Amino acid sequence: QVQLVESGGGLVQAGGSLRLSCAASGSTVSINVMGWYRQAPGKQRELVAAIGRGGITNYAGSVKGRFTISRDNAKNTVYLQMNSLKFEDTAVYYCAAFFLVGGNPTTWGQGTQVTVSS
C-alpha cells in the first residue's frame, strides 16, 4: 500500500510562485509514474503534470511553460513548481501515483488548496 501526503499549498497573488511537494511512503517500489491533478469548483478533475521514473514529463497545455514537475526517486518525493500563477490556477491540487504505465491512478493524496488572488 502507498500513502501520499501533499504540502506547500496556500494563498498567492497573481504572478507569484508556489512549490508543492508530495511524499510517498509504503510500497513505493510499486510506483512507476507520479503526477499532479487539480480540481476547481464546478469543474472536472484534470491532469496537470506527470513524470515517469526516468524523468519523462507531460503537461497540460494550460500550464506548459509555467509549471515544472520533478521527482527525487531517492526520497520518493515529487514536486510541482508553479510560476506566473493565474487566477484560473485556483484549485485543490492532488498528488497521484500510478502503478502501471498508461493505467489509472492507484493512490491519491488528500489534496492541498492553492488559491491565486488578483
Side-chain angles (χ1 to χ4, degrees), residues 6 26 28-29 31 33-35 39 41-42 46-47 50 55 57-58 69 71 75 85-86 95 98 105 115:
E6 303 102 328
T28 56
V29 294
I31 300 174
V33 176
M34 298 187 72
Q39 187 166 26
E46 63 175 348
L47 177 67
T57 59
N58 187 39
I69 188 171
R71 67 189 293 175
K75 295 182 177 180
L85 283 162
K86 305 173 181 179
C95 183
F98 302 76
T115 302

Side-chain angles (χ1 to χ4, degrees), residues 31-113:
I31 300 174
N32 285 299
V33 176
M34 298 187 72
W36 290 93
Y37 287 74
R38 68 184 181 187
Q39 187 166 26
K43 301 192 69 175
Q44 294 183 350
R45 187 172 299 186
E46 63 175 348
L47 177 67
V48 177
I51 184 168
R53 184 171 292 273
I56 297 175
T57 59
N58 187 39
Y59 296 92
S62 60
V63 307
K64 190 173 297 183
R66 298 188 297 119
F67 291 9
T68 302
I69 188 171
S70 61
R71 67 189 293 175
D72 186 333
N73 291 326
K75 295 182 177 180
N76 296 310
T77 301
V78 64
Y79 307 92
L80 185 67
Q81 179 67 46
M82 303 183 294
N83 298 325
S84 301
L85 283 162
K86 305 173 181 179
F87 173 78
E88 51 264 43
D89 294 319
T90 297
V92 177
Y93 284 71
Y94 297 90
C95 183
F98 302 76
F99 284 5
L100 300 176
V101 176
N104 297 316
T106 305
T107 306
W108 295 92
Q110 83 284 358
T112 185
Q113 176 71 46

